[in-house]
């Protein structure tokens, strides 16, 4: 009986150690998530600041944009060009850079 009790106590101690380790690691991960979210918010704020400085605040997904691609004129809606978020096309035609984009008369 005594051996079973010691074995049970040893298992309980091991379980408690695992639980403690898991809680510590969860705390580390929670802090990392906070850091990532804080960094993401900073990037969103910088993006908004750039848009305010260099962009047109009155952009619409239905705006029609004409692009000269190798001498060929292509017409597309702003929504089509910005559909895939995080791409170069989205960055160029989102409206954040409208004041800086070179337009052909």
């Amino acid at each position: 009986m005594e051996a079973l009790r010691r074995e049970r106590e040893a298992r309980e101690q091991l379980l408690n150690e695992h639980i403690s380790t898991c809680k510590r690691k969860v705390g580390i991960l929670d802090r990392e998530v906070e850091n990532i979210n804080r960094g993401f918010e900073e990037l969103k704020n910088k993006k908004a600041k750039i848009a305010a400085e260099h962009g047109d605040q009155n952009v619409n997904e239905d705006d029609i944009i004409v692009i000269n691609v190798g001498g060929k004129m292509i017409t597309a809606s702003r929504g089509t060009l910005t559909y895939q978020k995080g791409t170069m096309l989205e960055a160029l035609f989102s409206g954040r850079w409208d004041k800086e984009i070179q337009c052909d008369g």
Side-chain angles (χ1 to χ4, degrees), residues 8-55:
R8 188 186 78 213
E9 288 174 356
R11 280 193 311 246
E12 286 177 357
Q13 181 180 355
L14 187 60
L15 177 62
N16 288 334
E17 289 172 7
H18 285 303
I19 289 171
S20 177
T21 300
C22 288
K23 286 181 180 180
R24 195 170 47 255
K25 289 183 179 183
V26 165
I28 292 169
L29 290 174
D30 286 342
R31 286 188 295 279
E32 285 300 313
V33 166
E34 288 174 15
N35 289 338
I36 290 168
N37 286 336
R38 192 173 17 262
F40 183 70
E41 284 300 315
E42 289 174 11
L43 286 175
K44 277 184 18 182
N45 292 336
K46 286 180 183 179
K47 184 177 176 180
K49 181 180 176 188
I50 289 171
E53 290 176 7
H54 302 284

Side-chain angles (χ1 to χ4, degrees), residues 32-88:
E32 285 300 313
V33 166
E34 288 174 15
N35 289 338
I36 290 168
N37 286 336
R38 192 173 17 262
F40 183 70
E41 284 300 315
E42 289 174 11
L43 286 175
K44 277 184 18 182
N45 292 336
K46 286 180 183 179
K47 184 177 176 180
K49 181 180 176 188
I50 289 171
E53 290 176 7
H54 302 284
D56 183 355
Q57 298 295 321
N58 299 316
V59 296
N60 188 321
E61 286 192 357
D62 295 329
D63 292 344
I64 299 298
I65 298 175
V66 180
I67 309 167
N68 183 340
V69 181
K72 185 174 182 179
M73 302 308 280
I74 300 201
T75 304
S77 72
R78 185 180 304 269
T80 299
L81 294 170
T82 61
Y83 179 77
Q84 198 67 34
K85 302 302 179 200
T87 63
M88 187 65 153

